[in-house]
Amino acid sequence: MSTFTSLGLNENLLKAITDMGFETPSEVQQKTIPLLLERETDLVSLAQTGTGKTAAFGFPMLQKIDAASKTTQGLILSPTRELCMQIANEMNSYGKYVKGLNVVAIYGGASISEQAKQIKRGAQIIVATPGRMKDMIGRRMIDISKIEYCVLDEADEMLNMGFYEDITEILSHSPESKSTWLFSATMPKEVASIAKKFMHTPVEITVGSKNVSTNTVSHEYYLVNARDRYAALKRLCDANPDIFSVIFCRTKRDTQKVAEQLITDGYNAAALHGDLSQNQRDIVMKSFRNRQIQMLVATDVAARGIDVDDITHVINYQLPDEIETYTHRSGRTGRAGKSGVSIVIVSKSEVRKIHSIEKMIQKKFEQKDIPGGMEICEVQLFHLANSIKNTEINHEIDAYLPNINEVLADFSKEELIKKVFTVEFTRFYNYYKKTKDLNTLSGGNVDYAESDGKDSTRYFINIGAKDDFDWMTLKDFLRDLLDLQKDDVYKVDVKDSFSFFNTDTVHQELVMGVFNDFKLDGRNISIEISKDRGGRGRSGGGRGRSDRDRGGRSSSRSGGGFKGKSSGGDRGGFKKRSESGDDRPKFAGKSRRRNEKPKNAGTGGKRRRRS
Ligand code: ADP
Ligand code: MG
């Protein structure tokens, strides 16, 4: 059996190794350390996460540099700030008996002048993220013209995150004569090409099998109407109760909007984008890592630094402008040999992009249907059953048990199960029984019919702007009164003393019935079926209206919605439902399950919007 002594390491390093409690070198260490100690060579080393790669390059580098000199001799590039700090710490532990050693970590989001000061003291080894490194070279704060060793750690991740150009730029400031050691868990084409470009006949070492983790991501897409995008997202989340995911949007604004909506609807979500301060981003990332946040809604730029291993789903809420970005996104899941799913929600006009992506990634997408409401109810029931099964009993409840038992004494186990599950089932059931199929192929037929105007009824109603309604508040009023879904009342057109609106013809009887003998503030409200069907096309009622109208809609929303005539007053006996949009049923524990500190989730999401 191989030992660290037999690898050729010197006394100082062996002492540190004993201190750290390492007994035998790992496979990648056994293969790499003697080679790098003996020869000046370029190296490509492929090994999974957690196999001890840091020591594999760290020990040889520490043994080969001259700690008596203050010149920077070694550079280690790594994808994230967390990894940078981790590697710098490891290097300091390994080198604790190396006199005069100064290892400095360079990464974004911390004071650049403080980092420059540390470099000035003379750092033999610099551990850096590409972005900050490039920045500091550009400002002449760092000189790497004399380095002898350069490590590209987690090369696949660095390329995934879009650091190719930064790396090229950095290396152009380093000498040709240096040795480059590349470490990677996988060997995608991009890594092979970087090896070819920057290295001279590198020795190749492989531990375990090549490429194991590149095939662990499956790609799926869901075709929906553009206006159903958010509803589809919610269903996908509801159908995956244990989801731990990054949701990508195109803009900061959309990122913030989707996160806020998810939070309002009771999910553990937060936004991550460039308008947050570094401190806020750190808090969001920490909550995400601790699983207090289940859904992180992010822009591409902000997501660069995400190095969380167990992400189950990447959701492309919107496709990126450049399809190349898709690879970076999907690379957030399926890490460290685990499997993952990359989901794209697309509208009809975007389907061709899916085909371009397939060509680029050389993999097929599977087209799937948005799960139906009953399917989700079923999933949630089984999830609840499993949660109950796995729940550890909290003995704080012991004191209350006698009374509880008395209340429930008459029921058998079977009856109790039925009751408990009915309580939970009914919430989801009531929400989903009214919702329709979101898949455009099946649901799409309905939509065509509507846009032809065939199955739509237009009504005339004798309330209007002089009753303090605008199209948005009238729409909300009708929808609530009729207990219909948001999109079931459309083409709302408010005139001064009367208005028009449409519903699908199936709702005609309901509408006429509700308004038969209806009073608002004591006044008789009459409704008639209009001859005018409201023209072609179905829209939210706001289409074609001025932007100011639309702006009015959102401000009235965030202010809690309803701006009817006698605000707060009793509108003819009609009481408004909650306006928050929080009509999503909440399973017990759903929003609290992992959320010990619910405030954290709001740090990212509930922020004031700055767009
Ligand atoms: P990788 O970079 O391959 O993901 P790391 O270098 O981060 O892996 O090492 C993973 C962990 O294993 C670290 O905590 C490190 O201290 C520890 N480790 C590395 N080599 C050994 C060894 N030979 N014996 C015991 N623990 C080790
Ligand atoms: Mg590592």
Side-chain angles (χ1 to χ4, degrees), residues 216-235:
T216 54
V217 180
S218 53
H219 303 263
E220 303 174 348
Y221 76 92
Y222 295 82
L223 189 57
V224 301
N225 290 313
R227 66 177 149 90
D228 290 332
R229 214 177 272 279
Y230 179 74
L233 173 67
K234 273 192 6 170
R235 285 209 195 172

Side-chain angles (χ1 to χ4, degrees), residues 132-173:
R132 175 57 66 94
M133 187 66 190
K134 185 183 131 193
D135 204 14
M136 292 182 76
I137 290 175
R139 298 202 206 181
R140 303 188 189 285
M141 289 168 158
I142 292 181
D143 176 12
I144 54 165
S145 64
K146 301 208 172 58
I147 59 168
E148 290 167 54
Y149 308 102
C150 175
V151 173
L152 304 175
D153 192 28
E154 304 222 9
D156 49 356
E157 277 303 311
M158 287 202 284
L159 296 176
N160 252 348
M161 291 184 186
F163 283 135
Y164 181 83
E165 265 128 43
D166 289 357
I167 293 171
T168 310
E169 167 71 22
I170 292 164
L171 294 185
S172 75
H173 294 271

Side-chain angles (χ1 to χ4, degrees), residues 253 257 471-472 547-561 609:
R253 203 196 150 97
K257 237 169 55 188
W471 70 264
M472 189 299 250
D547 280 348
R548 219 176 35 175
D549 274 355
R550 256 173 264 174
R553 172 178 195 202
S554 59
S555 63
S556 132
R557 276 267 131 155
S558 51
R609 190 177 303 173

Side-chain angles (χ1 to χ4, degrees), residues 230-474:
Y230 179 74
L233 173 67
K234 273 192 6 170
R235 285 209 195 172
L236 290 169
C237 297
D238 286 343
N240 294 284
D242 279 323
I243 196 166
F244 182 51
S245 101
V246 183
I247 298 166
F248 285 96
C249 294
R250 228 176 343 223
T251 64
K252 290 179 206 170
R253 203 196 150 97
D254 288 341
T255 302
Q256 185 69 28
K257 237 169 55 188
V258 170
E260 281 177 12
Q261 188 68 56
L262 285 171
I263 292 166
T264 307
D265 286 347
Y267 297 87
N268 299 325
L272 188 74
H273 55 67
D275 279 353
L276 306 178
S277 68
Q278 181 66 44
N279 187 40
Q280 285 168 321
R281 270 184 278 171
D282 285 349
I283 292 171
V284 170
M285 279 313 297
K286 193 166 168 233
S287 312
F288 187 54
R289 228 172 256 124
N290 295 341
R291 306 295 189 97
Q292 284 158 359
I293 289 168
Q294 255 185 297
M295 276 166 265
L296 186 66
V297 192
T299 57
D300 289 295
V301 177
R304 268 188 171 192
I306 297 177
D307 60 335
V308 177
D309 272 345
D310 301 326
I311 291 166
T312 59
H313 294 73
V314 162
I315 300 182
N316 293 264
Y317 184 75
Q318 295 150 333
L319 277 174
D321 289 328
E322 302 195 356
I323 59 166
E324 288 73 23
T325 308
Y326 179 81
T327 329
H328 304 159
R329 289 182 173 187
S330 60
R332 300 298 97 224
T333 186
R335 288 166 51 104
K338 301 205 174 76
S339 64
V341 184
S342 176
I343 286 177
V344 185
I345 303 175
V346 281
S347 63
K348 267 180 222 153
S349 63
E350 299 168 310
V351 173
R352 57 187 172 75
K353 270 195 168 179
I354 293 286
H355 302 308
S356 319
I357 294 174
E358 283 181 332
K359 266 199 207 126
M360 179 185 69
I361 61 173
Q362 302 265 308
K363 272 187 201 166
K364 280 272 170 220
F365 272 80
E366 186 183 352
Q367 184 186 354
K368 292 182 108 174
D369 283 342
I370 296 283
M374 286 308 107
E375 187 182 326
I376 289 171
C377 290
E378 196 179 327
V379 168
Q380 291 284 354
L381 278 183
F382 279 111
H383 184 254
L384 176 64
N386 279 314
S387 305
I388 290 176
K389 187 175 150 194
N390 297 326
T391 294
E392 291 217 8
I393 290 170
N394 178 344
H395 288 286
E396 294 295 313
I397 70 164
D398 288 354
Y400 312 106
L401 283 177
N403 286 335
I404 295 173
N405 283 329
E406 206 179 300
V407 173
L408 301 174
D410 292 340
F411 302 111
S412 68
K413 174 186 165 188
E414 283 70 28
E415 284 169 323
L416 280 176
I417 290 176
K418 280 184 197 164
K419 279 176 180 284
V420 166
F421 279 77
T422 301
V423 169
E424 295 302 329
F425 181 71
T426 310
R427 299 186 199 191
F428 260 71
Y429 180 75
N430 284 346
Y431 175 72
Y432 273 116
K433 74 177 177 200
K434 289 182 288 185
T435 57
K436 54 188 175 194
D437 188 352
L438 296 183
N439 299 294
T440 55
L441 292 182
S442 35
N445 296 330
V446 177
D447 208 44
Y448 278 128
E450 286 158 2
S451 59
D452 283 337
K454 273 181 213 140
D455 295 313
S456 189
T457 302
R458 190 151 177 85
Y459 309 85
F460 166 95
I461 187 166
N462 65 342
I463 49 178
K466 73 174 174 44
D467 303 293
D468 275 354
F469 283 104
D470 60 22
W471 70 264
M472 189 299 250
T473 50
L474 182 62

Side-chain angles (χ1 to χ4, degrees), residues 14 22 28 44 91 101 105 132 189 201 236 268 316 386 411 414 456 490 596 599 610:
L14 290 173
F22 292 4
V28 70
V44 170
M91 294 296 279
L101 177 70
R132 175 57 66 94
K189 275 201 300 259
T201 53
L236 290 169
N268 299 325
N316 293 264
N386 279 314
F411 302 111
E414 283 70 28
S456 189
Y490 46 97
E596 262 105 38
K599 276 199 186 100
R610 264 207 264 158

